[in-house]
C-alpha cells in the first residue's frame, strides 16, 4: 500500500509538519509506504489531505482522495488512515480547490458557524501561549467557526480583541493557566480551560466551549464554579493556578532587578559599596527596590487570582510584611493565599445594609482582610517562617559538594521532565524565590538544566543526520537557538514525536548540567536570558565553568538521543521538508 500525504496550516510550519509526521509514522507501522506531496509520482493508492488552509488539489483529479481535519491527523492518525482506506473516492476538481480542506464529517454550517473569541495565557507567556492559540485557531476554522484568539504573553496582549468582536461573539473561550482580566466579557457565555487542554485537545475544547459555556455571575471569575468551565484540576484551577498567577506577575520584576544587580557588578563585585557611584545606584534599583518588591508582588497577585481586585490590598500588605519580617518568598506565598481567601470570605459572608453596601469594596473588605492578614503574619506566621527560610538559606549556602551536586541533579532533571509543565514550573519557582534571600546557586543550576533539552536535541540532529529527516534537521537548528535563549519549550516538537526516548535523554542531560553547575559553585543573578545574560560581566560567577556545565549536559542529551534514535525511512528525508514547503505556500 502506498499513500500520498498533503498537509497545510495557516499559522506556520510546526503544526503542518507534526501532522504530516504523525500520519507518516502511523503508515510506517502498518508497513505502508508514504510520500509527501512534492514527491508524489501518481502511483499511490490514495491521497490523504489534512489541511486547515487553502491547498491546490487540481493535480489530483481522478485520484482516490480522502480529506481529514488537521487536528484529527494530529490526535488520531490511525483513525484517519482507516477512514481513508474505506472512504477515499475519486477527486473531481472544483472551486473548492482553493478552500480549506475538511473531512466528510465536518459541520455543514461551515459558512455560518459560531463566532468565538479566545484568550490564551501561560505563566511565562512564551511558548505554550502561542502554541495553544495556533491550535485553537486551526481547530476552530476546521470546524467551520469564525475564531479570533488573543495571546497574553510575556510582552502583553497581542492580536487584542476589539470591543466589536467581543460584542459579536457567541462564546468566549479562556484557555489560561494564570488569572486574566475577564471584566470585558461580562454578560457573554464563558468557558475556561488550560493552555495544555487547548494545545493537545483543541477540537474537543472548542466543542465543549460551545456546549457548556455559561454567563458567569458578577465576581464569579476563577473562584466561581459553574458549568461554563472544564472539570477542575490542580493545574487548571485552585492552588496551582493562583501560585502561577503570582509568579507570572513577579517574574518581570525579578528579571529586571537581577539584571540591574548584574550590571552593578560590571564595575567590580564590591563597587556598589561606594556611595553615590553608578554601581551603587544600580544595586539600589535592583536589590534595594526590585527585589524588595518581588515578594509583595507575588503575594498581591496570588490574592488577586483568588479574590479579584479586593485581594490586592491584603496580599500586597502581607507580602511586604513577609519581606520585613524576613519570611521571604515562603512567607509571601502564605500571605498571598491568606490575604486572598480573607478578602473572598469578607466579600461573600459579611452582610451589610443596602445603605452602606457601596462602602464594602473600598473600606470594609480592604480593612478587615488587611487586618486579618497583617495580624496573622506578625503574630503567627512571620517569625517561624523566617526561621525556616533562614535555616534553608543557611543550608543551601553552606552545602558540601555532595549535597550541592544532589540538589543540582534534582533541579536540573525537574526542568527537563515536562518542559514547561508543573514540574518544570515548580523547580523554576523555587529558584526564583530564593533570589530574594540572595541565594543564587540553585537558579544557575535551574537555568543550566532548562537550556539542555533544546540544545541537546539540536546537537543530536547534527551528530546523527541520517537518522533525522530534513525537516527535523531544520527544526534542530531552531531548537539550538531557543535553547541558547533558555526557552526549554523548543524541545517540545521532538518530545511530542518520540517521548519515550526524548524525555529520559533530556532529564539525564539536564541533571548532569545542574549537578555540575552546583559542583562548580556557579551563581546566577538574573533568572532568565540564557546565554545572552552571560554577556554581562559577573552576571554569572565562574562563567567558563558554567558554560562547560551546559555544554556537558547538552552533549550527554545529544549523544544519548543520537545513539538510540531509530533511523528514518530513506524516502522521508526530503519529503518532510517538501511538506513544509507546501505549508509555507499555503499559509
Amino acid at each position: 500500500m502506498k499513500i500520498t500525504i498533503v498537509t497545510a496550516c495557516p499559522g506556520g510550519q510546526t503544526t503542518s509538519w507534526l501532522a504530516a509526521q504523525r500520519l507518516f509514522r502511523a503508515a510506517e507501522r502498518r508497513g505502508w509506504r508514504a510520500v509527501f506531496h512534492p514527491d508524489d509520482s501518481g502511483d499511490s493508492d490514495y491521497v490523504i489531505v489534512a489541511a486547515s488552509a487553502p491547498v491546490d488539489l487540481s493535480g489530483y483529479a481522478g485520484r482516490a482522495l480522502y480529506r481529514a481535519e488537521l487536528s484529527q491527523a494530529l490526535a488520531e492518525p490511525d483513525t484517519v488512515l482507516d477512514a481513508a482506506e474505506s472512504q477515499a473516492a475519486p477527486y473531481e476538481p472544483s472551486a473548492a480547490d482553493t478552500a480549506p480542506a475538511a473531512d466528510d464529517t465536518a459541520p455543514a454550517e461551515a459558512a455560518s458557524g459560531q463566532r468565538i473569541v479566545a484568550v490564551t495565557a501561560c505563566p511565562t507567556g512564551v511558548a505554550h501561549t502561542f502554541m495553544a492559540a495556533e491550535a485553537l485557531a486551526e481547530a476552530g476554522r476546521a470546524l467551520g467557526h469564525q475564531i479570533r484568539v488573543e495571546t497574553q504573553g510575556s510582552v502583553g496582549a497581542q492580536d487584542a480583541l476589539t470591543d466589536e468582536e467581543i460584542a459579536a461573539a457567541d462564546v468566549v473561550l479562556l484557555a489560561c493557566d494564570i488569572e486574566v482580566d475577564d471584566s470585558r466579557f461580562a454578560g457573554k457565555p464563558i468557558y475556561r480551560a488550560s493552555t495544555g487542554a487547548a494545545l493537545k485537545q483543541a477540537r474537543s475544547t472548542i466543542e465543549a466551549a460551545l456546549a457548556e459555556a455559561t454567563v458567569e455571575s458578577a465576581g464569579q471569575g476563577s473562584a466561581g464554579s459553574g458549568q461554563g468551565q472544564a472539570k477542575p484540576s490542580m493545574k487548571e484551577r485552585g492552588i496551582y493556578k493562583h501560585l502561577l498567577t503570582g509568579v507570572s506577575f513577579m517574574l518581570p520584576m525579578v528579571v529586571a532587578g537581577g539584571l540591574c544587580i548584574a550590571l552593578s557588578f560590571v564595575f567590580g563585585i564590591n563597587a556598589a559599596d561606594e556611595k553615590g557611584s553608578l554601581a551603587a545606584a544600580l544595586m539600589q534599583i535592583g536589590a534595594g527596590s526590585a527585589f524588595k518588591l518581588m515578594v509583595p508582588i507575588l503575594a498581591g497577585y496570588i490574592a488577586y487570582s483568588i479574590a479579584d481586585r479586593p485581594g490586592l490590598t491584603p496580599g500586597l500588605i502581607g507580602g511586604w510584611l513577609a519581606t520585613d519580617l524576613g519570611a521571604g518568598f515562603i512567607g509571601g506565598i502564605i500571605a498571598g493565599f491568606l490575604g486572598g481567601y480573607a478578602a473572598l470570605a469578607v466579600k461573600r459572608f459579611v452582610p451589610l445594609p443596602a445603605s452602606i453596601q457601596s462602602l464594602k469594596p473600598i473600606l470594609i473588605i480592604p480593612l478587615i482582610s488587611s487586618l486579618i492578614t497583617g495580624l496573622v503574619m506578625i503574630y503567627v506566621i512571620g517569625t517561624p517562617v523566617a526561621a525556616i527560610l533562614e535555616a534553608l538559606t543557611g543550608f543551601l549556602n553552606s552545602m558540601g559538594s555532595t549535597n550541592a551536586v544532589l540538589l543540582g541533579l534534582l533541579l536540573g532533571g525537574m526542568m527537563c521532565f515536562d518542559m514547561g509543565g508543573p514540574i518544570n514550573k515548580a523547580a523554576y519557582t523555587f529558584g526564583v524565590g530564593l533570589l530574594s534571600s540572595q541565594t543564587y546557586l540553585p537558579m544557575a543550576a535551574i537555568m543550566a538544566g532548562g537550556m539542555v533539552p533544546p540544545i541537546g536535541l539540536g546537537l543530536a540532529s547534527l551528530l546523527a543526520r541520517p537518522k533525522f529527516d530534513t525537516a527535523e534537521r531544520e527544526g534542530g537548528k531552531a531548537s539550538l537557538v531557543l535553547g541558547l535563549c533558555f526557552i526549554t519549550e523548543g524541545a517540545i516538537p521532538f518530545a511530542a514525536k518520540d517521548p519515550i526516548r526524548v524525555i529520559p535523554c533530556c532529564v539525564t542531560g539536564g541533571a548532569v548540567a545542574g549537578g555540575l553547575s552546583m559542583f562548580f559553585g556557579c551563581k546566577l543573578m538574573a533568572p532568565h536570558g540564557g546565554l545572552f545574560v552571560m554577556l554581562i560581566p559577573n552576571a554569572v560567577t565562574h562563567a567558563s565553568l558554567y558554560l562547560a556545565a551546559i555544554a556537558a549536559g547538552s552533549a550527554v542529551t545529544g549523544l544519548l538521543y543520537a545513539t538510540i534514535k531509530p533511523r528514518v525511512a530513506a524516502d522521508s528525508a526530503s519529503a518532510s521538508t517538501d511538506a513544509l514547503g507546501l505549508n509555507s505556500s499555503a499559509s
Side-chain angles (χ1 to χ4, degrees):
M1 180 75 71
K2 181 179 178 180
I3 63 173
T4 297
I5 298 172
V6 182
T7 61
C9 71
Q13 298 181 351
T14 303
T15 305
S16 176
W17 177 74
L18 286 173
Q21 288 299 308
R22 292 278 286 168
L23 290 171
F24 181 87
R25 301 299 180 199
E28 194 177 49
R29 289 193 297 270
R30 298 177 179 219
W32 296 359
R33 186 183 174 207
V35 298
F36 294 89
H37 164 72
D39 282 350
D40 177 64
S41 57
D43 60 345
S44 57
D45 294 279
Y46 48 84
V47 179
I48 297 178
V49 179
S52 57
V55 182
D56 183 7
L57 301 177
S58 57
Y60 298 108
R63 303 269 299 278
L65 184 144
Y66 177 77
R67 292 183 176 183
E69 297 177 17
L70 196 66
S71 57
Q72 187 181 16
L74 282 167
E76 302 171 333
D78 286 301
T79 301
V80 172
L81 295 183
D82 289 338
E85 191 173 14
S86 61
Q87 300 176 28
Y91 175 67
E92 298 180 4
S94 66
D97 288 345
T98 58
D103 69 6
D104 297 335
T105 63
E109 61 202 38
S112 58
Q114 305 259 4
R115 290 186 177 90
I116 304 170
V117 294
V119 178
T120 60
C122 70
T124 53
V126 181
H128 282 77
T129 297
F130 299 99
M131 294 169 70
E134 181 180 350
L136 288 175
E138 291 173 355
R141 282 188 287 265
L143 288 169
H145 304 302
Q146 300 178 44
I147 183 167
R148 275 273 289 113
V149 186
E150 172 184 308
T151 56
Q152 295 199 8
S154 56
V155 295
Q158 295 182 343
D159 297 323
L161 301 170
T162 65
D163 293 340
E164 292 76 15
E165 288 171 330
I166 295 172
D170 297 302
V171 66
V172 176
L173 171 56
L174 302 180
C176 304
D177 293 329
I178 62 173
E179 197 63 34
V180 297
D181 183 9
D182 58 5
S183 58
R184 55 186 166 148
F185 304 120
K188 307 296 293 187
I190 296 176
Y191 181 84
R192 299 177 185 269
S194 68
T195 55
L199 175 59
K200 299 172 186 175
Q201 301 170 329
R203 176 172 177 169
S204 59
T205 299
I206 290 176
E207 291 173 340
L210 294 172
E212 302 174 20
T214 59
V215 178
E216 296 179 349
S217 59
Q220 180 176 331
S222 64
S225 60
Q227 296 179 344
Q229 57 190 57
K231 291 183 179 181
S233 70
M234 181 60 72
K235 180 174 181 180
E236 296 171 21
R237 316 220 65 78
I239 293 174
Y240 184 85
K241 181 174 181 180
H242 301 322
L243 177 61
L244 289 190
T245 299
V247 171
S248 177
F249 280 95
M250 176 188 70
L251 192 56
M253 186 74 66
V254 181
V255 172
L259 289 174
C260 286
I261 293 172
L263 286 170
S264 74
F265 292 151
V266 171
F267 303 96
I269 295 297
N270 299 314
D273 295 340
E274 184 180 344
K275 293 184 178 180
S277 65
L278 179 58
L282 290 170
M283 183 62 72
Q284 185 176 357
I285 294 170
S289 299
F291 270 24
K292 197 168 185 179
L293 282 170
M294 62 179 280
V295 173
I297 293 292
L298 171 67
Y301 280 96
I302 289 175
Y304 168 82
S305 178
I306 296 169
D308 209 348
R309 279 182 283 186
L312 267 177
T313 298
L316 290 169
I317 291 172
W320 190 267
L321 286 171
T323 301
D324 274 355
L325 294 169
F329 81 100
I330 298 176
I333 291 172
I334 296 173
F337 284 104
L338 178 60
Y341 285 115
L344 191 63
V346 175
K347 179 180 175 182
R348 289 184 174 179
F349 303 119
V350 175
L352 291 175
S355 58
I356 60 171
Q357 188 71 29
S358 60
L359 294 177
K360 196 170 186 178
I362 61 172
L363 176 61
I364 307 299
I365 296 176
L367 176 61
I368 296 178
S369 60
S370 296
L371 283 173
I372 293 172
T373 304
L375 292 173
V376 171
M377 287 298 298
I378 292 171
Y379 291 111
V380 180
I381 293 175
T383 300
V385 171
I388 293 172
L389 183 64
E390 184 178 358
L392 174 62
T393 302
F395 169 73
L396 291 173
N397 288 330
S398 62
M399 280 188 304
S401 59
T402 301
N403 289 334
V405 170
L406 290 175
L407 180 61
L409 289 170
L410 176 63
L411 294 174
M414 289 175 67
M415 287 298 293
C416 305
F417 184 77
D418 52 4
M419 302 174 194
I423 296 175
N424 173 285
K425 291 296 186 294
Y428 186 72
T429 301
F430 175 75
V432 169
L434 288 174
L435 293 179
S436 64
S437 58
Q438 290 78 52
T439 304
Y440 302 111
L441 284 168
M443 192 66 243
I446 286 165
M447 190 166 83
M451 293 172 67
V452 162
I455 296 176
L457 294 172
L459 182 63
S461 70
L462 298 176
L463 294 174
R465 289 177 63 84
K467 292 186 176 183
F468 293 81
D469 60 38
T470 307
E472 288 175 319
R473 292 198 291 269
E474 291 300 314
K477 295 176 184 177
S479 180
L480 281 169
V481 175
L482 293 173
L484 295 176
C485 299
F486 183 38
I487 299 177
T488 313
E489 289 88 344
I492 287 178
F494 292 94
K497 285 182 58 182
D498 192 11
I500 300 300
R501 297 181 182 89
V502 167
I503 292 177
C505 292
C506 290
V507 170
T508 303
V512 168
L516 287 175
S517 173
M518 292 291 279
F519 178 74
F520 295 145
C522 301
K523 298 181 180 181
L524 177 67
M525 311 305 167
H528 221 294
L531 187 67
F532 302 99
V533 77
M534 299 177 67
L535 298 176
I536 303 174
N538 300 314
V540 181
T541 61
H542 310 303
S544 59
L545 292 175
Y546 190 57
L547 284 173
I550 296 171
S554 301
V556 168
T557 293
L559 290 171
L560 281 176
Y561 190 58
T563 301
I564 67 176
K565 177 178 168 59
R567 187 179 297 272
V568 298
D571 65 344
S572 69
S574 62
S576 296
T577 299
D578 295 332
L580 291 178
L582 170 63
N583 171 57
S584 298
S585 62
S587 299

